[in-house]
Amino acid sequence: MCLAVPGQVLAILGDDELTRSARVAFGGIVKEIALAFAPGARVGDYVLVHAGVAIAVLDAEEAARTLADLATLAEDAA
């Protein structure tokens, strides 16, 4: 099973669409994420991340729903 998690873009590093990356926040944890598959991502956007790669840009409402669903799953597992 694969899992992709939303995170918010804090900064974009580089100009080349194939090699640029972003610093992305995931609930207090910040990771550097590749943006090659999400060339439209901008600072402040939410991106859906799988295995260190942003695979889609999400609107804030969709990101909030997904994060709420993940929180519910975590509560149910505890």
Side-chain angles (χ1 to χ4, degrees):
M1 178 171 96
C2 296
L3 178 65
V5 180
Q8 188 171 28
V9 177
L10 301 177
I12 294 183
L13 313 166
D15 294 325
D16 183 342
E17 285 189 6
L18 292 177
T19 60
R20 74 185 190 132
S21 62
R23 292 179 43 78
V24 177
F26 302 93
I29 297 171
V30 178
K31 296 283 191 177
E32 189 169 327
I33 303 300
L35 292 178
F37 296 148
R42 303 286 176 252
V43 172
D45 286 348
Y46 285 88
V47 290
L48 194 57
V49 178
H50 172 69
V53 178
I55 58 174
V57 177
L58 299 175
D59 63 39
E61 190 175 297
E62 180 65 23
R65 280 195 306 268
T66 303
L67 290 169
D69 290 344
L70 289 172
T72 300
L73 288 172
E75 289 171 9
D76 291 347

